[in-house]
Amino acid sequence: MSSIKFVYSLLIVSLFSCSQTATNEPSFTEDFNSFPVSEKVKNYNHSNQTIRGRYTISRHDGQVGFGSILDPTENFQVPHRAEFTSQLDEFYNENDEIWIGFDFLVPSTYDLDLENDGNSVVIFQIHSKPTQDSSWPEYNKNLPFNRPSIALHLIKKGEEYELLLRYGLNGKPNTEFAHRKWVKAFRKKISPDKWHKIVFNFKLSLHDEDGYIATWVDSDDYKKEDFEAHKVYGANMHNEAKPYMKMGLYRYWTDSNTHEVFYDNLTITGSREEFLKLYHSDR
């Protein structure tokens, strides 16, 4: 891949090469060296409720990655996003488990206005959706939970960069779930201008006793068969519809700086064995 930088402002860009493995486990991987046409993955469509960001491919720290970019904004009226989405229904296994891994890099040019010091942006989400017998307007109006149930936040405070994973159900006020709050499932400091790898394994459930998420950052412990100690339990579904994935920046406040995060080596499958075969990261 050439190091020449390509900037894309198209609303629909396909990013993933999908494959069927020898074990009949649906999976896909993407090294972001090309953009094959795929109806499975699209950019988040612009609406009057959000401000659309930009996308780029460029080389950082010796590795080519896909960049999510949010430009400066002066007045906050609606959230700002540069996300791509994927429906995951076919990738959950028979136990509603899934494995997702990718590399990411935060450049040291990621800075904040002084009044925003310590604020977070979301860089990865597992997001609920309407059931087949419902619609988005009905879902948005009647859902008793704040979304999403899995959200990876990037926080910059002073000169330090940190990841925070919020997980679980978060009930809206004046609903029967108002007492439910997100838990901080994972927290870790990271370095800018360096590729990091992150791996998630989670099981979907409407119930606290069997829904869980396990997270590893810059660690190979996900390769161990026994990883019970990494699991955080709790319900993670808002309804019967299986949630979808959103990757890229989501910023819900105004800042005068340009924000970028880069992604590479995305791997998704329902099988741990297939994930260990397919996810290749040098980090």
Side-chain angles (χ1 to χ4, degrees), residues 5 45 60 73 86 112 142 155 177 179 195 256 261 273:
K5 188 173 183 180
N45 289 333
H60 298 266
T73 48
S86 177
L112 303 176
N142 299 321
I155 301 170
F177 302 102
H179 65 287
W195 286 100
S256 65
V261 173
E273 291 72 21

Side-chain angles (χ1 to χ4, degrees), residues 207-222:
H207 309 290
D208 287 333
E209 59 270 18
D210 53 0
Y212 74 82
I213 190 167
T215 311
W216 298 266
V217 175
D218 296 335
S219 170
D220 287 332
D221 285 351
Y222 66 89

Side-chain angles (χ1 to χ4, degrees), residues 49 61 86 141 178 213 272 274:
Q49 297 179 331
D61 190 27
S86 177
K141 179 180 178 180
I213 190 167
R272 177 178 177 272
E274 284 304 314

Side-chain angles (χ1 to χ4, degrees), residues 104 106 123 152-156 160-165 184-191 194 196-198 215-219:
F104 70 95
V106 180
I123 64 173
L152 184 64
H153 293 251
L154 170 64
I155 301 170
K156 184 174 187 290
E160 293 187 335
Y161 298 77
E162 187 176 40
L163 295 179
L164 170 63
L165 181 68
K184 296 177 181 178
F186 187 91
R187 198 158 194 160
K188 184 180 177 66
K189 292 180 180 179
I190 59 170
S191 300
K194 173 185 176 182
H196 301 271
K197 67 179 179 182
I198 188 164
T215 311
W216 298 266
V217 175
D218 296 335
S219 170

Side-chain angles (χ1 to χ4, degrees), residues 81-142:
R81 66 175 85 234
E83 300 170 316
F84 50 92
T85 68
S86 177
Q87 299 298 327
L88 300 176
D89 297 53
E90 67 180 294
F91 301 108
Y92 294 106
N93 68 15
E94 60 185 8
N95 296 318
D96 283 336
E97 296 179 10
I98 198 168
W99 288 80
I100 301 176
F102 56 89
D103 299 352
F104 70 95
L105 179 145
V106 180
S108 56
T109 53
Y110 181 98
D111 203 1
L112 303 176
D113 294 337
L114 183 60
E115 62 269 25
N116 292 329
D117 189 48
N119 279 5
S120 71
V121 295
V122 182
I123 64 173
F124 171 86
Q125 305 178 47
I126 300 298
H127 204 284
S128 61
K129 62 186 179 185
T131 55
Q132 289 186 345
D133 60 353
S134 183
S135 66
W136 278 101
E138 292 174 329
Y139 161 86
N140 290 328
K141 179 180 178 180
N142 299 321

Side-chain angles (χ1 to χ4, degrees), residues 5-264:
K5 188 173 183 180
F6 299 93
V7 178
Y8 295 80
S9 59
L10 295 176
L11 288 180
I12 299 178
V13 181
S14 298
L15 305 177
F16 302 101
S17 300
C18 298
S19 63
Q20 192 82 9
T21 69
T23 58
N24 293 321
E25 288 285 353
S27 62
F28 63 64
T29 62
E30 175 56 52
D31 60 9
F32 297 99
N33 285 335
S34 62
F35 290 86
V37 174
S38 170
E39 288 301 316
K40 294 181 182 294
V41 179
K42 298 180 179 179
N43 285 102
Y44 193 94
N45 289 333
H46 174 62
S47 73
N48 60 4
Q49 297 179 331
T50 60
I51 294 176
R52 178 181 47 139
R54 298 182 289 119
Y55 307 94
T56 182
I57 292 180
S58 57
R59 184 179 296 275
H60 298 266
D61 190 27
Q63 187 171 328
V64 173
F66 177 87
S68 165
I69 307 172
L70 291 179
D71 290 314
T73 48
E74 295 181 357
N75 297 303
F76 181 80
Q77 296 177 330
V78 293
H80 323 129
R81 66 175 85 234
E83 300 170 316
F84 50 92
T85 68
S86 177
Q87 299 298 327
L88 300 176
D89 297 53
E90 67 180 294
F91 301 108
Y92 294 106
N93 68 15
E94 60 185 8
N95 296 318
D96 283 336
E97 296 179 10
I98 198 168
W99 288 80
I100 301 176
F102 56 89
D103 299 352
F104 70 95
L105 179 145
V106 180
S108 56
T109 53
Y110 181 98
D111 203 1
L112 303 176
D113 294 337
L114 183 60
E115 62 269 25
N116 292 329
D117 189 48
N119 279 5
S120 71
V121 295
V122 182
I123 64 173
F124 171 86
Q125 305 178 47
I126 300 298
H127 204 284
S128 61
K129 62 186 179 185
T131 55
Q132 289 186 345
D133 60 353
S134 183
S135 66
W136 278 101
E138 292 174 329
Y139 161 86
N140 290 328
K141 179 180 178 180
N142 299 321
L143 187 72
F145 301 105
N146 294 303
R147 302 161 289 172
S149 59
I150 299 175
L152 184 64
H153 293 251
L154 170 64
I155 301 170
K156 184 174 187 290
K157 187 171 180 60
E159 298 303 315
E160 293 187 335
Y161 298 77
E162 187 176 40
L163 295 179
L164 170 63
L165 181 68
R166 288 196 172 102
Y167 172 77
L169 303 183
N170 189 279
K172 293 180 179 178
N174 303 317
T175 70
E176 62 179 304
F177 302 102
H179 65 287
R180 300 298 301 261
K181 303 299 179 185
W182 287 307
V183 299
K184 296 177 181 178
F186 187 91
R187 198 158 194 160
K188 184 180 177 66
K189 292 180 180 179
I190 59 170
S191 300
D193 295 328
K194 173 185 176 182
W195 286 100
H196 301 271
K197 67 179 179 182
I198 188 164
V199 174
F200 298 101
N201 166 238
F202 59 91
K203 179 180 180 181
L204 298 179
S205 181
L206 293 163
H207 309 290
D208 287 333
E209 59 270 18
D210 53 0
Y212 74 82
I213 190 167
T215 311
W216 298 266
V217 175
D218 296 335
S219 170
D220 287 332
D221 285 351
Y222 66 89
K223 298 178 181 179
K224 298 179 180 179
E225 290 190 14
D226 182 5
F227 54 89
E228 185 67 26
H230 289 271
K231 293 180 180 179
V232 174
Y233 282 88
N236 52 33
M237 296 183 74
H238 295 156
N239 53 28
E240 295 287 349
K242 294 183 178 181
Y244 65 103
M245 183 190 76
K246 297 167 70 174
M247 290 182 67
L249 286 165
Y250 177 87
R251 186 178 70 210
Y252 42 90
W253 35 274
T254 292
D255 199 90
S256 65
N257 295 280
T258 297
H259 294 151
E260 297 176 293
V261 173
F262 294 86
Y263 301 86
D264 198 11

